[in-house]
Amino acid sequence: MKYIKYEKATNIKNSNTSTLLEYSLELQDKEIDFAINTISGRYPEKGYCTNKKCKEIAYILEGTGKICKKDQEVIFKKGDLIQIDREEFYYWEGDCKIIMVCTPAWYKEQCEIIQE
């Protein structure tokens, strides 16, 4: 078992519209990770993002918004759950707080922003 206190989580400013409360730096597990993402606006601000290695589960803890792929738009609200497959291209837009769990564990080098 691992136990991580709130005080040990790391705040990371991902962009002007996305801030992470990252527990994974302390968790140090290559198979799974955990973060809380607060989004205010559109992330990424232009284009799409994709994760080359991870599947992600996103639970909407607070707020509303949408997640958009090139051919699909999903409107979400508090309590909804979204699964994002590896290599999907998407962006978030809204005013929300999202619990994110990735497997295998997310790391910056496997994430890519695609400008269009």
Side-chain angles (χ1 to χ4, degrees), residues 57-71:
I57 293 287
Y59 175 79
I60 313 307
L61 189 61
E62 296 175 6
T64 60
K66 63 183 176 179
I67 184 169
C68 300
K69 294 172 44 175
K70 290 181 181 181
D71 60 348

Side-chain angles (χ1 to χ4, degrees), residues 27-88:
L27 189 60
Q28 296 182 357
D29 188 322
K30 293 183 180 193
E31 294 181 28
I32 194 165
D33 74 4
F34 181 92
I36 300 173
N37 191 354
T38 301
I39 297 174
S40 298
R42 187 185 193 281
Y43 178 80
E45 294 172 61
K46 294 180 182 177
Y48 295 84
C49 58
T50 187
N51 192 310
K52 299 178 209 172
K53 304 285 182 186
C54 298
K55 279 188 170 185
E56 300 178 54
I57 293 287
Y59 175 79
I60 313 307
L61 189 61
E62 296 175 6
T64 60
K66 63 183 176 179
I67 184 169
C68 300
K69 294 172 44 175
K70 290 181 181 181
D71 60 348
Q72 183 182 13
E73 179 178 292
V74 174
I75 305 296
F76 60 78
K77 64 182 180 335
K78 177 182 175 177
D80 291 348
L81 184 84
I82 301 164
Q83 178 180 320
I84 303 166
D85 289 323
R86 64 183 60 88
E87 298 185 346
E88 280 194 289

